[in-house]
């Protein structure tokens, strides 16, 4: 994929678990040469390393509930302060509550916009919409590579050899919270706590939706178009 070197600012991907945020975030990150920041991945790393934060988050995540905002803020702030975020970054899985969205706006205002043109750096907020039955199928079919993080789906994007990563031959794993009873809880948390985040951005006229029921490359094409349109508008404003 062609890589684009100009600055891009924050990109936020919204959508229910299983909408394809991780896959699309990886593609955006690769195309624009910016980091993908997934709060779910960072939390899973903490759980694996057995940090204090990991110990506090572990059982909550296993139940499919949201980790309290106060635990998330410090973690996100320290990640966004890394030098690799200066040109922009793509957030996947954050913000997950309207309070987190408000926190992010304040953080960007105070820390990110300091040395940048504000209009060029307002977040691009993209929601990936997917039919509920498709979501269940995607979540139950999801597999990931524990070594490189690549995501597969046994129905729609299977690896060449079943259960083995194409890139590094690691045995693929099923996420702990991709079991059916936990999946329902995660979708509930989305309906109750995360859906209002889209309303938050919509009320600020910053939300764009794409059709996530289409094949993965078509979803990517829609997202890239949204990003490029936004950049063209920002360039005209400056
Ligand atoms: P994900 O990989 O984004 O589906 O996240 C997996 C789990 O991590 C979620 O079910 C939550 O328990 C937790 N989590 C991830 N991101 C957040 C967040 N922004 N706020 C609260 N909990 C989160």
């Amino acid at each position: 994929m062609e890589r684009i070197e100009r600055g891009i600012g924050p990109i936020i991907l919204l959508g229910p678990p299983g909408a394809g945020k991780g896959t699309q975030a990886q593609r955006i990150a690769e195309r624009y040469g910016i980091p993908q920041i997934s709060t779910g991945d960072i939390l899973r790393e903490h759980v694996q390393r057995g940090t204090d934060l990991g110990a506090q988050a572990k059982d909550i995540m296993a139940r499919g509930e949201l980790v309290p905002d106060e635990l998330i803020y410090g973690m996100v702030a320290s990640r966004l302060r890394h030098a690799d975020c200066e040109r922009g970054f793509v957030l996947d899985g954050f913000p997950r509550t309207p309070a987190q969205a408000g926190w992010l706006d304040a953080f960007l205002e105070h820390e990110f916009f300091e040395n940048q043109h504000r209009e060029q750096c307002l977040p691009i907020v993209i929601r990936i919409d997917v039919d509920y039955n498709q979501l269940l199928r995607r979540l139950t079919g999801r597999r990931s590579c524990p070594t490189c993080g690549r995501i597969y789906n046994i129905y729609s994007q299977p690896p060449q050899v079943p259960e083995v990563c194409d890139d590094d031959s690691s045995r693929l794993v099923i996420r702990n919270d991709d079991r059916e009873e936990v999946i329902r809880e995660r979708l509930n948390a989305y309906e109750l706590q995360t859906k209002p985040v889209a309303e938050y951005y919509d009320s600020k006229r910053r939300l764009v939706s794409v059709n996530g029921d289409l094949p993965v490359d078509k979803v990517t094409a829609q997202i890239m178009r949204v990003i490029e349109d936004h950049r063209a508008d920002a360039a005209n404003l400056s």
Side-chain angles (χ1 to χ4, degrees):
M1 197 182 279
E2 182 208 353
R3 185 163 149 169
I4 293 175
E5 298 292 344
R6 285 167 292 152
I8 175 82
I11 299 175
I12 299 172
L13 289 187
L14 299 178
K21 298 189 296 295
T23 302
Q24 298 299 339
Q26 273 175 6
R27 292 180 173 198
I28 297 168
E30 203 178 299
R31 172 120 199 238
Y32 291 99
I34 55 177
Q36 170 194 3
I37 300 175
S38 155
T39 43
D41 285 349
I42 301 174
L43 286 166
R44 278 185 287 278
E45 249 175 63
H46 276 276
V47 171
Q48 218 165 23
R49 289 191 354 243
T51 64
D52 274 357
L53 173 57
Q56 292 180 78
K58 188 176 178 193
D59 293 344
I60 302 173
M61 292 172 73
R63 289 196 299 271
E65 294 166 12
L66 292 189
V67 173
D69 290 345
E70 310 76 60
L71 295 180
I72 301 285
Y73 294 149
M75 183 184 97
V76 172
S78 66
R79 181 64 190 88
L80 295 184
R81 286 182 186 128
H82 278 207
D84 65 346
C85 291
E86 257 167 34
R87 286 180 52 250
F89 46 87
V90 52
L91 286 172
D92 133 32
F94 182 88
R96 211 66 159 236
T97 60
Q100 290 182 7
W103 177 90
L104 179 64
D105 269 348
F107 181 88
L108 293 175
E109 190 70 49
H110 291 121
E111 304 212 16
F112 194 74
F113 295 143
E114 238 171 39
N115 303 315
Q116 323 227 12
H117 296 295
R118 201 171 180 289
E119 311 75 43
Q120 289 174 7
C121 293
L122 275 180
I124 305 174
V125 186
I126 302 169
R127 186 182 61 195
I128 308 176
D129 292 331
V130 181
D131 170 76
Y132 188 84
N133 288 326
Q134 275 249 31
L135 285 179
L136 286 180
R137 201 172 131 89
R138 289 193 190 175
L139 290 166
T140 52
R142 178 154 71 182
R143 302 287 184 276
S144 61
C145 172
T147 309
C148 70
R150 185 164 164 186
I151 302 162
Y152 297 87
N153 189 289
I154 55 169
Y155 306 114
S156 56
Q157 282 186 288
Q160 281 159 16
V161 177
E163 307 298 336
V164 174
C165 180
D166 294 347
D167 294 337
D168 55 37
S169 302
S170 301
R171 181 144 280 279
L172 302 182
V173 294
I174 303 181
R175 266 172 51 169
N176 193 29
D177 56 358
D178 276 346
R179 288 170 293 121
E180 192 142 347
E181 63 285 10
V182 184
I183 287 172
R184 286 190 196 284
E185 187 52 51
R186 289 166 61 210
L187 291 171
N188 272 345
Y190 175 76
E191 283 293 317
L192 290 174
Q193 291 162 284
T194 309
K195 252 194 177 164
V197 175
E199 286 153 24
Y200 172 92
Y201 287 117
D202 199 25
S203 72
K204 294 174 181 279
R205 299 185 169 282
R206 271 151 56 188
L207 181 74
V208 183
S209 300
V210 297
N211 179 357
D213 288 328
L214 299 176
V216 60
D217 288 344
K218 292 226 159 91
V219 179
T220 306
Q222 291 177 80
I223 289 176
M224 296 303 178
R225 210 171 310 126
V226 169
I227 295 173
E228 286 306 316
D229 286 352
H230 179 99
R231 284 154 66 83
D233 288 350
N236 287 338
L237 276 175
S238 61

